[in-house]
Amino acid sequence: KLKSVVAVEINQECNRTYRHNFPEDPAGAVRAKLVEQLGPADFGGMDLWTMSPPCQPYSTTKGAVQRDDADPRSAGLAHLIAMLTSDAMPDETLPRWVLLENVK
């Protein structure tokens, strides 16, 4: 069985919705911060990271402006990738799996 350990979202309305939908999660489970502000200490021993980064930088939909890494909205994903590949991230804090969701 999967157990939610932490949710990271800067938007307070989203955090209120999360707390409403998952009242059994501990009080500190929702962290109101930018993903770019996270460090190795925020991830101690989690088996699975689920992520849904903004799609706009990479979208191939009609009229989309694909700015990829030049788009500031891609900074959170870039930060997490850098953390996963960094020597600063101790092996015991690395997830066993990463589930990344994005749209076309």
Side-chain angles (χ1 to χ4, degrees):
K1 180 179 175 182
L2 293 177
K3 176 185 164 195
S4 176
V5 178
V6 65
V8 179
E9 172 61 58
I10 194 69
N11 184 294
Q12 291 296 345
E13 188 62 33
C14 292
N15 291 338
R16 280 190 289 279
T17 301
Y18 181 91
R19 286 186 193 98
H20 174 78
N21 290 334
F22 301 99
E24 69 280 1
D25 283 3
V30 178
R31 298 186 186 159
K33 55 183 3 182
L34 292 170
V35 171
E36 300 91 314
Q37 297 170 327
L38 300 175
D42 292 299
F43 295 103
M46 295 176 204
D47 289 330
L48 172 66
W49 290 5
T50 59
M51 298 182 262
S52 184
C55 63
Q56 294 89 339
Y58 312 103
S59 179
T60 59
T61 59
K62 184 179 178 181
V65 179
Q66 292 176 300
R67 293 176 29 203
D68 294 329
D69 295 341
D71 190 316
R73 293 170 289 192
S74 68
L77 179 60
H79 176 72
L80 289 173
I81 291 169
M83 279 188 19
L84 283 169
T85 59
S86 168
D87 289 338
M89 193 81 163
D91 287 346
E92 62 272 9
T93 62
L94 290 172
R96 293 174 63 192
W97 301 283
V98 174
L99 174 66
L100 178 66
E101 177 274 334
N102 208 336
V103 297
K104 183 177 180 182

